[in-house]
Amino acid sequence: MEPAGRPSPPSLTALRAFEAAARHGGYVAAARELNVTPAAIGTQVKGLEAWLGRPLFHRLPNGLVLTPEGRAVLPALSAAFDALNGAVRTMRAVGRPRELTLAALPCIAQLWLAPRLPGLQAAFDLDLAILTRDEQPDYARELVDLGLYFGAAAPAGCTAVVLARDDLFPVCAPVLAARLRRPADLGGATLLHDSVWREDWPRWLHAHGPGALRPAREATFSLYGIALDAAIAGSGVLIGHSALVGKLLAEGRLVAPFGERVVTGPPLRLIVPEGGDGRLAPVVRWLKGEGGPNSAVPHDSLEPEPVAATG
Amino acid sequence: MEPAGRPSPPSLTALRAFEAAARHGGYVAAARELNVTPAAIGTQVKGLEAWLGRPLFHRLPNGLVLTPEGRAVLPALSAAFDALNGAVRTMRAVGRPRELTLAALPCIAQLWLAPRLPGLQAAFDLDLAILTRDEQPDYARELVDLGLYFGAAAPAGCTAVVLARDDLFPVCAPVLAARLRRPADLGGATLLHDSVWREDWPRWLHAHGPGALRPAREATFSLYGIALDAAIAGSGVLIGHSALVGKLLAEGRLVAPFGERVVTGPPLRLIVPEGGDGRLAPVVRWLKGEGGPNSAVPHDSLEPEPVAATG
DNA sequence: GACGAAGGCCAAGAAAATCTTAGCCTGACC
DNA sequence: GGTCAGGCTAAGATTTTCTTGGCCTTCGTC
């Protein structure tokens, strides 16, 4: 019953499943994007191949590779779905002009964005939806108007505005700082880690630390915000991100015992999907204005120099 | 459960239903295009409006009118679906390079195309699918590679090649022709009609007929091919279309009793959707070559003049 | 002014598409 | 050689989508 002859088009679901699988090079990733199981993707792709009458993927033992046919149609398909998603985006923007969806790293949402939310809402009368996600969303596919992430470059199809440079340096509660005069003193302290930023301490120590450091204790937190709370509570020393801890430093709840010794990470960027509606521009401008003054880094010497993107 | 907050996109089905409804300006037409019932379209559109949070159509007593929101998003949506359909078209072309789908008016399929099919298949080794439809398909939406219709102009998004001019004139079996020396003689004959070409006789009579004609009898057929069979059988006089009856005239099975008295209708055109794959070009060329010689009109005076495409 | 056709709306149930679960298989990698 | 990741399949469940049938309004016709 498969070569029915009637040129009834394949289902849109199948096309979308194939497009996602082809773009990601695998069912698992495609399934994640579409919020289904890999088996569902596989079924749809198989159906599409049946409709076509020939395979779209070579099933190699270690994964999928597009056939020439598949490779030939993927660009057009992807472009079409991008257009479709763009249409949906403008549709929502037209339908709910006051709604704005922001995606951000959880810690950015908590530490950078949250304090600025009242001001943002006061300035624009917006209904804000905050989406906290560890990975940047696919702006072409998801209904996200803006993103807030650390990154060296803008994702494809987006422009990016640097909101604040990001310098990494140890921070701790004032009571602990008294005992920390030189990096070597960290040997007697508890080092606090964030699980997704495991490299923060190694990077800083590599640049500024004593040769071999064996800290007294270590603790790892799955959320940077919690780690910061622990640091404030005096539990140990955490690597602070200047873009996020500026306010806490200004308030004196945290101090930077080795203030001038920093390493520089990718800056905090505001990601603006291209082709967005005009109502975004003032918001972008406002957020950009917020970036500078309020995220004050504690070292004047670092301020004037504009940040260059690193590979 | 409708304002869920999660920006999950609307279903592709709903988008497609809305797009079709907006394009056609009504659920009924959209339902026809998508092969569902109007109620299904209505449900989907309602769901999309619920997702959006505001209506896309004004429900006026006499029909639907797009709201400003709807009007704002329609172009982008239509373009996206056009792109999607284009992608599917190239997909199928890539997957089955030997397959070609031709849409044609039933009478054209029977009288013009059928005799040429063997030659076409011999020339190109194609798997042909013939789709007979009274109305031209929407080439951007349906998997149709070529169309054969009478028409004054090419549909939007298509180019057209004139295959043959179309002149209308009475035809009948030779035995009947003896009694028809002047148009006034038609008063004693049976006039054969085609139900979709009801205007053929009036048009011809208006141009060439006697003032007031009361034919002896009339008969109407729902298919032109059947009407032609009736004419061949001597049942009456039919308006012949030069593009379709050339062969029958050449064989002598029909004659044109008032040969030089014709009215000209829209020419027979080959419709070529733009953006088609390259494999179409030779087929178009072949069909164009077929148009001239084989569709011989019975009057030499008409032959030499080449037909120019009209706007 | 009654009537029928056309078009849209709705609710309930049917049908179909889609998705998940669970188990199997493969090659890759330690 | 065990484990893991990724793809395949079948069967059954779930969700989405569609149809049916009835109601309502308007419009054009007689």
Side-chain angles (χ1 to χ4, degrees), chain B residues 220-248:
Chain B
T220 300
F221 298 84
S222 61
L223 286 174
Y224 188 74
I226 309 288
L228 262 185
D229 287 340
I232 292 169
S235 303
V237 187
L238 176 70
I239 290 291
H241 285 247
S242 63
L244 303 179
V245 302
K247 181 169 260 178
L248 293 166

Side-chain angles (χ1 to χ4, degrees), chain A residues 2-3 5 7-10 12-13 15-16 18 48 50-54 56 68-70 72-73 76-77 79-81 83-88 90-97 99 101 129 131 141-144, chain B residues 2-3 5 7-10 12-13 15-16 18 48 50-54 56 68-70 72-73 76-77 79-81 83-88 90-97 99 101 129 131 141-144:
Chain A
E2 161 241 298
S8 80
L12 298 176
T13 309
L15 290 171
R16 186 171 50 173
F18 164 68
L48 191 58
W51 175 84
L52 231 201
R54 57 189 58 195
L56 290 161
E69 291 85 20
V73 300
L77 252 194
F81 275 108
L84 202 49
N85 284 300
V88 170
T90 68
M91 195 161 169
R92 210 186 54 116
V94 167
R96 309 189 188 175
E99 209 157 287
T101 302
L131 217 60
R141 309 277 152 173
E142 297 179 54
L143 288 172
V144 174
Chain B
E2 160 239 299
S8 79
L12 298 176
T13 308
L15 290 171
R16 186 170 50 173
F18 164 67
L48 191 58
W51 174 85
L52 230 202
R54 57 187 59 194
L56 289 162
E69 291 85 20
V73 300
L77 253 194
F81 275 108
L84 201 50
N85 283 301
V88 171
T90 70
M91 196 161 169
R92 211 187 53 117
V94 167
R96 309 191 186 173
E99 210 156 286
T101 302
L131 218 58
R141 309 277 152 171
E142 298 180 54
L143 288 172
V144 174

